Amino acid sequence: PKAAGEAAAGKFLVNIVNDHLGRYPGSVEDDEELLKGLLAKKAPEAQYIRIRRDERRCMMRLLQEVQSLVAAAAVTDNATATSQREVMTAAPGKSTSHDTIGSSSSVGLAAAAA
C-alpha cells in the first residue's frame, strides 16, 4: 500500500524528468561545443546556452537520484514483504530467523494465522 504509492510516485517523477530532458536538442556535449563557439564570438545568446546546459546537467542528476531512490525503495519493500511472509508462514511455536530472544510477537502472529 504505502510502498506501492511511493513506487508509483517515483516512476511518475522519473517519467516527468525524462520527458523534460527529451525536449532538449542534442546532448550536453553539443551544448558545450556550441557554448565555446558563442563565447569566442561574444555572442549574446551564449548565456542562454549556458543556462540550458546547466539545467540539463541538473535534470540528469535529479534523474539519477530519483532512480536510485526508487530502486532502494523496491529493495526495501521486497525485503519487508519477504520478512512478513516468513513470519506468517512459520509453524506455531517455531521462531523465525528475525525473532529476538524473548520476543514472541512473530510466534503469536504465526499461531493466529494458522
Side-chain angles (χ1 to χ4, degrees):
K2 181 181 176 190
E6 289 177 2
K11 289 177 184 178
F12 175 76
L13 186 53
V14 166
N15 289 336
I16 294 298
V17 174
N18 274 326
D19 287 347
H20 189 74
L21 280 170
R23 294 180 185 155
Y24 293 108
S27 66
V28 172
E29 292 79 20
D30 294 339
D31 284 349
E32 289 286 348
E33 290 300 316
L34 181 58
L35 184 58
K36 285 179 188 176
L38 292 172
L39 289 172
K41 295 189 289 187
K42 298 186 180 176
E45 62 269 21
Q47 62 185 338
Y48 300 106
I49 300 302
R50 179 180 291 124
I51 291 168
R52 181 176 74 189
R53 178 206 59 195
D54 293 347
E55 184 179 56
R56 187 185 307 202
R57 284 180 180 166
C58 289
M59 295 300 288
M60 290 169 65
R61 181 71 179 145
L62 175 63
L63 181 60
Q64 291 171 347
E65 291 297 322
V66 171
Q67 288 172 331
S68 295
L69 290 172
V70 169
V75 168
T76 301
D77 187 42
N78 288 338
T80 301
T82 299
S83 178
Q84 289 172 346
R85 279 192 302 274
E86 288 175 357
V87 168
M88 295 305 289
T89 59
K94 299 276 185 168
S95 63
T96 64
S97 61
H98 301 292
D99 288 336
T100 58
I101 297 174
S103 171
S104 61
S105 61
S106 61
V107 174
L109 286 174

